[in-house]
Structures are given as structure tokens and as C-alpha cells.
Amino acid sequence: MLSFITDLFPAVYAEESQEAPAEAAEEAAPAAEEEAEEPEDIKPSIEDACGESSACAPLKHHLEECARRVEGGAHEDCIEELYHFLHCVNDCAVPKYFSKLA
């Protein structure tokens, strides 16, 4: 059986590349890119604000209550509560992402 597979898919072995000088140039390029300052990621701040909004506050409260019950030894998971909370946060945040991109 194994010989059938090796006949179908022959082994390919990598050889040493002849591009050693090119690799050195590629290593120098990321160092220059690292010096450039990256823009701030707005996603976490928008999601935090939406999570605290009045629309999502009741869902966050239910999620926190479920988490307390689980920590107290309840045999349940909080997947449904988490799903509803994240759905609310996403509904709030997505329009804000696109308004910031424009």
C-alpha cells in the first residue's frame, strides 16, 4: 500500500538555495519597516465602547451572571450568552469601522 502512495506522490527534497545574498537583503528590509510607526488599531477601542453601550449592557450582565454561576460550580456553559453579547457588539461596531475607514 505504501509503495502505491509513493509511486503516486514521489518524494521531493529541498536543496540549498543559491540565494544567500538575496536573503541578507530581505532581512535588512524588515528592520527598516519595523522603524516605521504602525497606526493605532481602532477595533479594540470601538468594541469596548460598544460592549459598554446601553444596547449591549443587559447582554453583558447576563454573560457575567452566567460566568459567576459557572465559577460557583454550575454545570453549564455560557456559549449562548457569549454569542448574543458578541452579536450585539458586532452590530454596533461594524458601522463604526467603515465610518473610520472613509
Side-chain angles (χ1 to χ4, degrees):
M1 178 73 174
L2 185 60
S3 64
F4 172 73
I5 294 173
T6 56
D7 289 341
L8 245 156
F9 301 103
V12 178
Y13 300 99
E15 296 179 17
E16 287 188 28
S17 64
Q18 302 290 330
E19 301 172 349
E23 289 175 5
E26 288 176 7
E27 290 176 7
E33 291 174 6
E34 289 175 9
E35 293 174 8
E37 193 172 314
E38 292 186 22
E40 181 184 348
D41 186 10
I42 60 170
K43 186 176 185 239
S45 61
I46 291 174
E47 288 178 347
D48 289 342
C50 286
E52 301 296 327
S53 70
S54 62
C56 298
L59 298 170
K60 183 177 181 180
H61 177 71
H62 286 295
L63 178 60
E64 290 171 346
E65 280 185 4
C66 181
R68 274 189 236 118
R69 286 193 307 268
V70 169
E71 288 173 1
H75 297 287
E76 64 176 312
D77 59 24
C78 301
I79 298 298
E80 184 176 354
E81 289 83 354
L82 177 63
Y83 174 77
H84 289 299
F85 175 67
L86 292 177
H87 185 75
C88 180
V89 169
N90 286 337
D91 282 347
C92 170
V94 167
K96 294 177 182 179
Y97 299 150
F98 289 104
S99 69
K100 298 282 183 177
L101 291 175

